[in-house]
C-alpha cells in the first residue's frame, strides 16, 4: 500500500502526474486543482496517495493536502459517487468551498464539477451535511455554524431574509452568508433584516 510519494515531477498529463522516486516512475491520477498547483518537471514534489487495487487494476490517486484526500474518501461514501466523480469535485472546489457548499446545502455549487448532475449534487450536500466540518477543518470558521443553520432552514427569519436579499442582488450564497455573519456582530441584539442587509452590503464593499 502506497500512502505518500516524495520525489520529482517527471511529466504532467491531462489527468495525471508521473513522479520519479529514485528512478521509478509512479503514475498518480489527480484533480485539476492539484495538477495546476504542481511544480515544473524536475522539481521536488510530495503527494498524499490513495491506492486502489482491483482484480484488473492498480491505480494511485494523488493529493496535495490531507484535506483533499479526506474529501476524496468522504465523497465516495455518497451513493453514486465513485473515484472519478470525487476527483472531479475536489478538482473544481477547494476543501473550504466544498465545506461551505455542504453547509449551505448549495447543490448548484457542487454541480459545477464536470460529470456531476443535479441529483448527485443534491445527494452529496444532503448526505454529508453532518460529516463535513470534521473533514474540512472548517469547524473553526465563525460563520460556518450560521451557514449550516441557513442550509438546514433553522436560521432566524431576519438572517435568512438578509441572505436571500443579498443573493437576489447577485452575490454568491457563500459570500452573502459570510457578510450576514459579520453583520450580526455589529448589529446588536435582535436586528431586523433591513439592518442586516445594510451591514451585509457594507461588509461586502470592503
Amino acid at each position: 500500500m502506497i500512502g505518500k510519494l516524495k520525489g520529482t515531477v517527471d511529466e504532467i498529463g491531462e489527468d495525471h502526474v508521473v513522479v520519479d522516486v529514485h528512478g521509478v516512475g509512479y503514475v498518480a491520477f489527480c484533480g485539476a486543482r492539484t495538477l495546476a498547483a504542481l511544480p515544473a518537471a524536475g522539481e521536488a514534489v510530495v503527494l498524499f496517495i490513495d491506492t486502489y487495487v482491483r482484480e484488473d487494476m492498480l491505480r494511485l490517486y494523488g493529493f496535495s493536502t490531507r484535506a483533499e484526500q479526506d474529501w476524496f474518501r468522504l465523497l465516495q461514501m455518497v451513493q453514486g459517487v465513485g473515484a472519478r466523480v470525487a476527483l472531479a469535485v475536489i478538482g473544481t472546489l477547494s476543501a473550504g468551498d466544498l465545506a461551505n457548499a455542504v453547509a449551505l446545502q448549495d447543490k448548484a455549487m457542487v454541480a459545477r464539477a464536470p460529470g456531476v448532475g443535479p441529483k448527485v449534487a443534491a445527494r452529496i450536500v444532503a448526505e454529508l451535511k453532518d460529516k463535513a466540518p470534521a473533514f474540512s477543518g472548517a469547524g473553526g470558521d465563525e460563520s460556518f455554524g450560521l451557514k449550516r443553520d441557513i442550509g438546514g432552514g433553522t436560521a432566524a427569519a431576519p438572517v435568512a431574509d438578509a441572505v436571500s436579499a443579498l443573493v437576489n442582488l447577485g452575490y454568491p450564497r457563500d459570500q452573502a452568508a459570510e457578510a450576514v455573519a459579520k453583520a450580526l456582530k455589529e448589529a446588536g441584539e435582535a436586528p431586523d433584516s433591513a439592518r442586516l442587509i445594510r451591514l451585509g452590503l457594507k461588509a461586502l464593499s470592503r
Side-chain angles (χ1 to χ4, degrees):
M1 183 71 69
I2 298 173
K4 184 169 75 171
L5 290 177
K6 183 177 182 180
T8 57
V9 175
D10 187 77
E11 65 176 74
I12 300 174
E14 290 186 3
D15 60 355
H16 69 277
V17 59
V18 179
V19 180
D20 186 321
V21 182
H22 302 302
V24 179
Y26 293 87
V27 178
F29 292 87
C30 306
R33 293 175 61 86
T34 300
L35 290 172
L38 287 172
E43 295 187 14
V45 67
V46 176
L47 288 177
F48 299 102
I49 298 293
D50 262 21
T51 305
Y52 277 52
V53 180
R54 301 289 186 269
E55 288 184 5
D56 59 345
M57 180 186 73
L58 189 157
R59 179 168 287 201
L60 307 181
Y61 293 96
F63 314 93
S64 57
T65 66
R66 287 288 188 193
E68 283 184 358
Q69 186 179 41
D70 289 342
W71 271 111
F72 179 73
R73 295 170 177 174
L74 184 62
L75 284 162
Q76 290 178 80
M77 298 172 62
V78 177
Q79 179 186 358
V81 177
R84 181 184 62 80
V85 171
L87 210 59
V89 173
I90 64 172
T92 303
L93 302 174
S94 68
D97 288 340
L98 187 49
N100 287 331
V102 172
L104 289 165
Q105 295 293 283
D106 190 347
K107 60 185 180 182
M109 181 178 287
V110 178
R112 287 165 45 194
V116 178
K119 290 184 179 179
V120 172
R123 283 202 298 269
I124 288 173
V125 298
E127 294 183 27
L128 299 185
K129 63 181 179 180
D130 295 326
K131 301 182 178 69
F135 279 81
S136 66
D141 182 349
E142 294 182 5
S143 66
F144 194 74
L146 176 65
K147 291 173 185 176
R148 294 187 71 188
D149 291 343
I150 294 168
T154 58
V159 171
D161 290 345
V163 171
S164 178
L166 294 179
V167 170
N168 289 337
L169 288 173
Y171 293 100
R173 200 160 186 237
D174 182 33
Q175 287 185 20
E178 288 189 9
V180 172
K182 292 176 182 177
L184 281 168
K185 294 179 182 179
E186 301 180 33
E189 295 185 8
D192 59 19
S193 58
R195 179 163 173 74
L196 290 177
I197 293 168
R198 287 196 302 274
L199 291 173
L201 287 169
K202 181 180 176 182
L204 286 165
S205 67
R206 290 171 185 163

